[in-house]
Amino acid sequence: MTSIDLNADLGEGFGRWRLTDDERLLSVVTSANVACGFHAGDAATMRRVCELAAERGVRIGAQVSYRDLAGFGRRAMDVPPEELTAEVAYQIGALEVFARAAGTRVSYVKPHGALYNRVVHDEEQAGAVVDGVLLADATLPVLGLPGSRLLDLAGKVGLSAVEEAFADRAYTEAGTLVPRGEDGSVVTDPEVVVARSVSLARHGTVTARSGSRIEVRARSLCLHGDTPGAVELARRVRERLQESGVRVEAFA
């Protein structure tokens, strides 16, 4: 039977402000990309999400980012490689404290926002992220875009490189994500998102913005938790996947 993981970005709040419905999304997804304080999240939020994830058997992933709270980690930044390596390790270590306190552990690492897109092509920044993972825990899988420099370098040093796809983001013909600043970068029609999810899981294909069919084979499917109606959409995606004969389970 075909299987796929469902991941979502969670813990994206700060202080009294909360962006994602963490508790309800954790009843649907199998992996949680938890903000580690650099683009969103704080100590109390990280602890709470780890406890909720542990209670539900959801895998915890460290969603590492550039240090950019004001820009939600979505602004381009130039960070020296040695500094980025240390900051990636720092974020993983901070989340690991709360994961262990909840009786579980950090199971994988995924970059966020501008860093995620930068390490698709930038060898130096990708290498810095990989070095940060190695510094924190050399057993952790790395989640990223198929064909990215990040996954290539991770595999070369012995880390498990896990490919992911996006049901609610538009793709270019090259298999990269359409930048968020461009029209149509986010797919908002629920039926289209659900159909894309099934196609990605069962066939490893998706329709690019140009209308052409491209191959995107992945072990994990990302559903953004900060989009309107995210919880209900996630439920519909999971139900349709299971109805289509796809087993939904964590990759880690």
Side-chain angles (χ1 to χ4, degrees), residues 49-108:
V49 175
C50 284
E51 290 173 347
L52 291 171
E55 289 172 2
R56 292 159 175 75
V58 175
R59 300 295 188 272
I60 294 171
Q63 185 157 47
V64 298
S65 170
Y66 287 128
R67 188 189 292 272
D68 181 28
L69 274 176
F72 196 60
R74 287 179 175 165
R75 297 185 294 189
M77 303 183 76
D78 289 315
V79 180
E82 64 278 6
E83 185 176 328
L84 182 56
T85 291
E87 291 189 338
V88 166
Y90 177 92
Q91 291 174 79
I92 297 168
L95 188 64
E96 179 70 8
V97 168
F98 298 118
R100 288 191 178 275
T104 183
R105 63 183 297 270
V106 171
S107 295
Y108 64 95

Side-chain angles (χ1 to χ4, degrees), residues 18-33:
R18 293 187 183 182
L19 178 63
T20 50
D21 191 339
D22 299 327
E23 187 164 3
R24 294 173 66 201
L25 279 167
L26 283 167
S27 68
V28 181
V29 300
T30 47
S31 296
N33 316 316

Side-chain angles (χ1 to χ4, degrees), residues 26-212:
L26 283 167
S27 68
V28 181
V29 300
T30 47
S31 296
N33 316 316
V34 183
C36 298
F38 273 38
H39 75 280
D42 54 26
T45 301
M46 292 161 67
R47 181 180 184 183
R48 176 179 56 82
V49 175
C50 284
E51 290 173 347
L52 291 171
E55 289 172 2
R56 292 159 175 75
V58 175
R59 300 295 188 272
I60 294 171
Q63 185 157 47
V64 298
S65 170
Y66 287 128
R67 188 189 292 272
D68 181 28
L69 274 176
F72 196 60
R74 287 179 175 165
R75 297 185 294 189
M77 303 183 76
D78 289 315
V79 180
E82 64 278 6
E83 185 176 328
L84 182 56
T85 291
E87 291 189 338
V88 166
Y90 177 92
Q91 291 174 79
I92 297 168
L95 188 64
E96 179 70 8
V97 168
F98 298 118
R100 288 191 178 275
T104 183
R105 63 183 297 270
V106 171
S107 295
Y108 64 95
V109 178
K110 174 184 173 178
H112 166 82
L115 181 59
Y116 185 98
N117 291 312
R118 180 77 171 267
V119 297
V120 171
H121 302 295
D122 191 313
E123 181 108 6
E124 186 176 64
Q125 295 282 281
V129 172
V130 168
D131 287 344
V133 176
L134 291 172
L135 183 60
D137 185 345
T139 69
L140 292 175
V142 177
L143 187 61
L145 202 70
S148 65
R149 299 305 302 141
L150 175 70
L151 294 192
D152 180 58
L153 293 176
K156 286 180 177 178
V157 299
L159 296 174
S160 176
V162 182
E163 299 173 322
E164 77 168 332
F166 294 80
D168 55 2
R169 288 295 309 278
Y171 279 86
T172 68
E173 285 197 37
T176 58
L177 300 179
V178 173
R180 279 187 175 268
E182 297 183 16
D183 291 340
S185 62
V186 178
V187 181
T188 57
D189 186 323
E191 281 305 315
V192 174
V193 173
V194 171
R196 284 161 60 94
S197 299
V198 174
S199 178
L200 285 162
R202 289 188 56 83
H203 310 295
T205 62
V206 69
T207 301
R209 184 172 59 171
S210 64
S212 62

